[in-house]
Amino acid sequence: MMYLANKHATEETQYLYPKEPEERAKVDRMLFFDMGTLYHAIKEYFGPKIHQGLPPDPEKENLLKQSLDYLDHFLEIGGVPYLCGEKITLADIAVLASVTELDALEYSYKCYGDLNRWVERVKGNFPYYKECCDEGVAMTRARVKQLEADLKKQMEKERKASLTKK
């Protein structure tokens, strides 16, 4: 996203990834938080579910909750409608994509009031949200359900095999 914004931004879209160093640093900070903290925590916690159909790793849930706590607190003290100011930026889009994965995995973040309000605000003001995300959410849910079904079949097969050996 950073590259595309650098290469193709127009005066009308420059607000997505500002050129002014202090404003850009705010966006970069939240992009790096998303990539290195929030998304990492989601993958750590949900890795077994996403890749094997197993339940999420309960030992990793605290990492995810800490990331969501930080984000909720950041939004609470920010005093602005979006992560980096008065306008939506690449940071809002990136973090929303990560939070949308939580939606796809049916993980509730409703107890994080500021985060929840921010999500609804960004969804409502990002014209391509439904077009970009609804199909991905459905695909993720279908994949997880298929993995869970496959795992259940495999476990049943192994259980039957162990009974015939006895």
Side-chain angles (χ1 to χ4, degrees):
M1 288 192 311
M2 295 160 72
Y3 167 77
L4 291 172
N6 281 329
K7 184 161 176 77
H8 299 288
T10 64
E11 287 199 27
E12 294 85 38
T13 61
Q14 191 65 56
Y15 65 90
L16 290 168
Y17 198 46
K19 286 186 177 181
E20 199 279 319
E22 284 185 26
E23 294 302 311
R24 180 168 281 203
K26 291 176 188 178
V27 176
D28 287 344
R29 171 184 172 189
M30 294 312 294
L31 286 170
F32 299 144
F33 164 78
D34 175 58
M35 180 177 51
T37 303
L38 179 60
Y39 189 72
H40 172 74
I42 293 168
K43 290 300 177 195
E44 286 292 310
Y45 178 60
F46 284 107
K49 185 172 186 157
I50 294 169
H51 300 293
Q52 300 164 304
L54 297 168
D57 185 343
E59 293 181 12
K60 305 287 175 74
E61 187 173 20
N62 195 45
L63 180 65
L64 177 55
K65 287 181 177 182
Q66 287 175 343
S67 298
L68 295 172
D69 282 337
Y70 174 83
L71 185 55
D72 190 59
H73 181 70
F74 183 85
L75 289 160
E76 177 186 356
I77 65 171
V80 291
Y82 298 104
L83 289 174
C84 302
E86 296 295 327
K87 292 185 175 184
I88 200 168
T89 66
L90 293 183
D92 294 287
I93 296 167
V95 172
L96 181 63
S98 294
V99 173
T100 297
E101 187 156 5
L102 294 176
D103 292 335
L105 295 165
E106 299 176 345
Y107 186 86
S108 178
Y109 50 86
K110 303 300 180 208
C111 62
Y112 300 96
D114 289 292
L115 172 58
N116 194 46
R117 283 185 290 281
W118 171 83
V119 166
E120 293 307 313
R121 182 180 313 114
V122 177
K123 284 180 180 180
N125 291 305
F126 185 48
Y128 307 105
Y129 178 79
K130 286 186 82 55
E131 180 183 335
C132 293
C133 297
D134 282 354
E135 187 176 340
V137 166
M139 288 171 58
T140 298
R141 286 182 179 162
R143 174 171 163 65
V144 167
K145 283 183 183 174
Q146 184 62 53
L147 285 170
E148 290 170 342
D150 292 348
L151 178 64
K152 187 175 179 180
K153 285 179 190 174
Q154 181 63 31
M155 290 174 70
E156 184 62 25
K157 184 178 174 182
E158 290 173 8
R159 186 185 71 76
K160 285 180 181 179
S162 71
L163 290 174
T164 58
K165 288 182 183 179
K166 292 181 180 179

